[in-house]
Amino acid sequence: MTVPREKLDVLGEVRYGTTNVDYSSALADEMRRIRSYRPAFLSVAAEGVSIATGAGERVEKKIDLPPTWVRGFLQVQSAAVYPAIEVQFSPETIADVLAALQREREKTGPRSLRFQLTPGECPTITIEPWGTVIKERVHKYTGDSATEIRLWGRRRLLAFADLLPHADSVTARFLGTGMPSYWSITLDGHRFDIGVSGWTKNDWSSAARFDVLAATGQASDGDIAKASQELEKHLKLVPSDITDLSTETATAALQKLCATGMAMYDLADSCYRWRQLLPFPAPVSEEDQRSKLAARIVQTGGVSFLKDTDEDEAFSTLTARTDDTTFRFRAWVRGGETRREAKFAVTLDLDNDGRVRFASCTCSFFKREKLRKGPCAHILAAVALASQQLLGAKAAKKAEPAADTFDFTDKTFVFTGALTKFTREQAEGIVVQRGGKASGSVGKNTHYLVAGDKAGSKLTKAQELKILVMTEDEFLVLLGGSIA
């Protein structure tokens, strides 16, 4: 619930965080006792929540959240930055939908809400399996093309049923069929936001990985600490507000804070807010086999990006979505670690902040699920190298005149020290997929050493052998198509 602070009389010191309680019927009853003619005191503390109205008082102690719930929440959060279709509804329309769900209990499938959206016409909502049709009576759909979106887990929307009689407006943001959806209900200067996961299976939260699509850039621990400091200081900001970091790095740092439960993305205001879900970073799931496979594909050079001038029929059916603020990348990605594995065509559109705005793959998993269960391993592998491709595309776009492309073929690179622009595995994967070689040790056959902070014995040996040493930024220039 977003409540303007000026509407509250704040007593005592304010600290920002999150307290998880069971919203019991007793707590709800005490909330209903609030009246305009008597004061009410709401206390949200680390140990619990209490409400006192003068007519009574109720205290609910803090409860611990299961890791699966936390991971699911964070994935819904991360998906919020993905492009969405925004639709306006009158509160009465959504109230009619929820009333129909409360009247009947489905015994067979499908159990979905089907939204039919046609430009210039009022949306219609079909409640399955009964085929009940409810039509919006006020707002028309303003999108460019007709589409149909189906949502599951619809009974979760009953969480805001009691607000609808008092609501001024309802805004829904749809990512697509089976994807998370986001709802904002405004009433008398307040806003209630709810994000609903698009999948009902138990394995959804452990494998969705929308956090990967939310930011392809790399952020060091220092970058994340800087973003955390700025966000805690200002409470809300956008990546460009962090002037010490590039927009790609700032976005990656802020998304890392979101992915670990230390911040949140406010979809309605398109900004990041300081909001600690937990007093410590959220637990990382070890169950995502797709991410592990993607890492192995990258490490073995299984990602090969195409040049803009390359033509391939596998990508010809996709509509170009690039503009001045979006960059399209196409890649062949192996299905596994060995060269015998089949290859799949992956297409990515990245915006200026390094966020994935569109993703597609020709593998069977993506054809069957789209992004309903999150990206496939092949998209994840391409995304792992996409930030460097984006930097290269930007550098090439700015280069006047453009320089000859650096030839990585048969060149051996060694990476050492603390890298901040990418992980060592990602850097080695870039070299391999461009035809070069990556080695863990410096020798007479080494052509280049890329040295980060606190480089040690490898740097010393490279200098003794008169091997060319470059910084991360100089290496990025190679990727950008020009040599400094």
Side-chain angles (χ1 to χ4, degrees):
M1 185 76 169
T2 303
V3 182
R5 183 168 175 169
E6 60 270 16
K7 290 184 175 290
L8 301 173
D9 293 324
V10 181
L11 306 176
E13 180 186 3
V14 175
R15 289 183 298 169
Y16 292 87
T18 304
T19 302
N20 311 297
V21 300
D22 181 13
Y23 192 72
S24 63
S25 57
L27 184 63
D29 289 342
E30 199 60 41
M31 289 283 189
R32 293 188 183 99
R33 292 185 180 184
I34 295 177
R35 297 291 185 273
S36 59
Y37 52 81
R38 64 185 176 213
F41 297 90
L42 175 66
S43 173
V44 181
E47 63 274 6
V49 173
S50 67
I51 177 71
T53 61
E57 182 178 8
R58 179 66 186 179
V59 178
E60 287 290 344
K61 294 183 179 180
K62 178 184 176 181
I63 60 174
D64 293 327
L65 298 172
T68 53
W69 188 96
V70 174
R71 287 194 292 268
F73 176 86
L74 294 177
Q75 289 305 321
V76 172
Q77 259 287 280
S78 295
V81 303
Y82 205 71
I85 297 173
E86 185 171 300
V87 185
Q88 295 287 333
F89 293 102
S90 57
E92 295 80 8
T93 299
I94 304 303
D96 288 345
V97 172
L98 299 185
L101 290 174
Q102 289 176 308
R103 283 195 304 269
E104 298 186 67
R105 177 67 64 172
E106 60 274 12
K107 296 181 180 179
T108 61
R111 299 175 173 87
S112 70
L113 294 178
R114 194 167 73 241
F115 296 82
Q116 193 70 44
L117 308 175
T118 304
E121 298 182 10
C122 292
T124 60
I125 307 172
T126 302
I127 308 175
E128 298 177 317
W130 311 298
T132 304
V133 178
I134 295 176
K135 185 170 179 125
E136 165 63 27
R137 296 179 289 274
V138 178
H139 301 283
K140 295 181 179 180
Y141 175 56
T142 58
D144 296 329
S145 58
T147 187
E148 181 181 278
I149 295 174
R150 296 177 69 190
L151 299 183
W152 286 267
R154 59 199 182 181
R155 291 190 180 273
R156 299 168 193 164
L157 300 180
L158 292 169
F160 57 70
D162 291 343
L163 294 176
L164 293 174
H166 316 284
D168 300 318
S169 65
V170 177
T171 302
R173 294 172 179 85
F174 302 126
L175 302 190
T177 293
M179 296 276 282
S181 62
Y182 304 87
W183 301 77
S184 293
I185 295 89
T186 59
L187 57 161
D188 190 27
H190 299 69
R191 193 183 79 231
F192 181 89
D193 299 322
I194 182 172
V196 182
S197 63
W199 200 251
T200 56
K201 297 292 185 181
N202 293 331
D203 63 348
W204 185 88
S205 65
S206 65
R209 297 317 310 268
F210 287 108
D211 56 318
V212 177
L213 301 182
T216 62
Q218 300 300 314
S220 66
D221 291 343
D223 297 332
I224 296 170
K226 175 65 177 177
S228 176
Q229 181 183 17
E230 289 295 310
L231 190 55
E232 186 174 12
K233 176 181 177 181
H234 298 288
L235 299 181
K236 61 175 289 189
L237 52 75
V238 295
S240 59
D241 291 335
I242 307 178
T243 55
D244 294 343
L245 303 176
S246 67
T247 54
E248 298 93 343
T249 302
T251 301
L254 290 168
Q255 279 300 138
K256 185 65 176 178
L257 292 173
C258 290
T260 54
M262 306 301 286
M264 66 168 286
Y265 181 75
D266 186 337
L267 181 66
D269 288 345
S270 299
C271 67
Y272 292 86
R273 294 184 182 274
W274 180 251
R275 180 194 186 279
Q276 289 184 277
L277 179 65
L278 300 169
F280 47 83
V284 178
S285 172
E286 298 294 336
E287 304 170 18
D288 187 1
Q289 298 301 318
R290 274 179 275 155
S291 293
K292 294 179 180 178
L293 175 58
R296 295 196 298 271
I297 292 173
V298 171
Q299 291 167 7
T300 55
V303 182
S304 299
F305 282 92
L306 278 68
K307 298 178 182 178
D308 290 340
T309 55
D310 292 341
E311 295 184 5
D312 198 300
E313 293 182 358
F315 302 90
S316 61
T317 58
L318 294 172
T319 303
R321 302 191 179 190
T322 54
D323 54 35
D324 291 340
T325 61
T326 309
F327 297 83
R328 167 153 290 188
F329 301 101
R330 300 167 300 156
W332 282 109
V333 181
R334 280 206 314 262
E337 303 170 65
T338 66
R339 297 183 182 275
R340 296 190 301 272
E341 297 280 355
K343 292 183 178 181
F344 301 100
V346 172
T347 302
L348 298 175
D349 285 348
L350 272 61
D351 67 12
N352 273 317
D353 292 339
R355 294 180 294 210
V356 176
R357 316 310 287 170
F358 171 77
S360 175
C361 182
T362 56
C363 72
S364 59
F365 179 86
F366 182 85
K367 289 179 179 179
R368 182 177 68 252
E369 304 293 351
K370 302 301 182 187
L371 289 175
R372 288 190 289 268
K373 289 187 177 181
C376 64
H378 317 108
I379 290 177
L380 291 174
V383 165
L385 302 176
S387 61
Q388 280 70 47
Q389 294 293 320
L390 179 61
L391 289 172
K394 288 184 175 181
K397 190 174 182 180
K398 292 179 180 178
E400 294 181 1
D404 293 336
T405 301
F406 179 76
D407 186 6
F408 279 79
T409 305
D410 295 330
K411 301 294 193 305
T412 300
F413 284 75
V414 175
F415 297 86
T416 187
L419 303 179
T420 60
K421 306 294 186 182
F422 32 61
T423 66
R424 189 164 304 177
E425 291 77 11
Q426 288 174 329
E428 291 174 349
I430 295 168
V431 170
V432 173
Q433 64 97 9
R434 292 197 174 199
K437 300 176 182 178
S439 175
S441 59
V442 175
K444 62 179 182 180
N445 293 324
T446 302
H447 294 89
Y448 302 97
L449 177 78
V450 181
D453 293 337
K454 300 179 181 179
S457 59
K458 292 180 183 178
L459 176 59
T460 302
K461 187 172 182 179
Q463 292 169 338
E464 292 174 352
L465 296 175
K466 301 186 183 305
I467 292 169
L468 180 61
V469 178
M470 66 178 67
T471 65
E472 287 183 86
D473 288 333
E474 289 171 330
F475 177 68
L476 290 176
V477 171
L478 298 187
L479 301 179
S482 57
I483 303 175

